[in-house]
Amino acid sequence: MPIDVALDGHVATITLNRPDVLNAFNTEHLETLHNAIMTLAEEPEVRAVILTGAGERAFAAGADIAEMRDKRPSQALEFARLGQSVCLAIEAAPQPYIAAVNGYALGGGCEVSLACDIRIASENAALGQPEVTLGIPPGWGGTQRLTRLVGPGIARELIYTGRRVKADEALRFGLVNAVYPLSDLMDKARELANSIAANAPLAVRASKDAIARALDVELDTGLSYEAGVFALSFDTADQKEGMSAFLERRKADFTGS
Ligand code: CAA
């Protein structure tokens, strides 16, 4: 299978699994990943998802160049839409996604990581958008999400030059939130995922939805949305539980209802 999915408590881990080609994405790989994201989205017990790459060299080295080379424009459009649909599915998922970038995250690999809520990286990671070195621009959201994340100045430099950024530089740019030795990366990802999963799932989901609007709508509209989800959360059992637990000086036990 081009991906593996494992469940541990409230945390799912999706592993991109084509290590022979540094987990590059072909059509089958993308479709399988899309299906897995959609399936996990329907699982209320899953409260956080980690996305990582098999092996010790790559998260994903991009779209599969061997598959892409002979595409006609109409096929390339379809391929762009498929990759974009994976990124949109991650963003639309009820659970936060953590990209554990364990090596190269290039082109489409970087773009998939950019759709995740949080990126952490290993010391050997290298991220970038090398598409122009292949005669194409980014096609799975790099021009849009990289620009939103690191700002137009850095995004333009990285996309126009196609250069790879090592983990420490990625950390400086805010492209990743933290860098760890490769041997610690998955433990750190699980720690982060578990700390999210311990919180009220509907409140985390509402926060994800509201944050997504911050970059797309005017402040007034975003604030109205936030006030709406804030108010709705008072109709959940978890709101009563969270506040009661605080006042009773005990740990909250959230059920996602
Ligand atoms: N597509 C297909 N195969 C790939 C691949 C890719 N994106 N990246 C690596 N591979 C394959 C190599 O062809 C090689 O296969 P063989 O062993 O059969 O020859 C294997 O993976 C190992 O790769 P290398 O021998 O190249 O390993 P390296 O250590 O010398 O270099 C690397 C590693 C710097 C990541 C290099 O493989 C590389 O530059 N890969 C391509 C990165 C890239 O340009 N990605 C962007 C793709 S375009 C895109 O993603 C468009 C988009 O926006 C959607």
Side-chain angles (χ1 to χ4, degrees):
M1 281 292 279
I3 66 161
D4 293 326
V5 181
L7 288 175
D8 182 8
H10 291 302
V11 176
T13 300
I14 302 177
T15 304
L16 308 170
N17 189 16
R18 295 183 77 215
D20 292 352
V21 287
L22 303 181
N23 305 319
F25 294 106
N26 61 13
T27 296
E28 185 202 358
H29 194 184
L30 286 170
E31 285 172 344
T32 315
L33 177 58
H34 188 265
N35 288 342
I37 295 163
M38 299 306 278
T39 303
L40 290 175
E42 299 299 318
E43 295 288 340
E45 284 305 303
V46 176
R47 298 182 182 179
V49 182
I50 299 168
L51 184 58
T52 193
E56 299 197 334
R57 297 201 55 213
F59 176 79
D64 191 316
I65 299 168
E67 179 181 321
M68 277 190 298
R69 186 183 61 181
D70 297 325
K71 284 191 187 300
R72 297 190 303 276
S74 61
Q75 295 168 316
L77 181 64
E78 207 177 306
F79 195 56
R81 293 286 188 224
L82 177 59
Q84 289 183 0
S85 74
V86 167
C87 296
L88 289 169
I90 291 171
E91 288 174 335
Q95 309 92 351
Y97 271 65
I98 298 164
V101 179
N102 58 318
Y104 293 113
L106 302 175
C110 187
E111 288 167 309
V112 168
S113 83
L114 288 168
C116 293
D117 294 84
I118 299 168
R119 284 150 298 286
I120 61 173
S122 55
E123 288 166 346
N124 65 319
L127 298 91
Q129 299 290 157
E131 285 89 344
V132 294
T133 69
L134 297 165
I136 56 173
W140 296 352
T143 60
Q144 306 304 302
R145 292 192 182 88
L146 185 62
T147 307
R148 282 166 158 84
L149 185 66
V150 301
I154 302 291
R156 287 188 171 111
E157 182 201 325
L158 297 185
I159 292 172
Y160 298 165
T161 62
R163 85 175 167 88
R164 297 198 288 264
V165 171
K166 290 191 178 145
D168 54 349
E169 200 179 5
L171 182 61
R172 246 189 310 122
F173 290 162
L175 184 45
V176 300
N177 289 15
V179 176
Y180 303 105
L182 180 61
S183 55
D184 295 347
L185 181 69
M186 288 312 291
D187 282 346
K188 292 293 182 185
R190 279 187 282 268
E191 210 175 278
L192 184 56
N194 280 321
S195 72
I196 293 169
N199 294 325
L202 296 174
V204 172
R205 178 181 187 166
S207 304
K208 175 169 174 166
D209 284 348
I211 290 168
R213 280 164 177 78
L215 295 170
D216 292 336
V217 300
E218 283 176 11
L219 184 61
D220 270 0
T221 312
L223 289 175
S224 293
Y225 188 84
E226 184 188 88
V229 293
F230 177 80
L232 274 179
S233 72
F234 284 73
D235 197 29
T236 65
D238 281 348
Q239 177 264 327
K240 304 290 177 262
E241 166 63 9
M243 294 192 183
S244 301
F246 175 81
L247 294 171
E248 291 159 17
R249 298 183 180 279
R250 61 176 172 81
K251 193 171 172 298
D253 182 15
F254 293 117
T255 57
S257 59

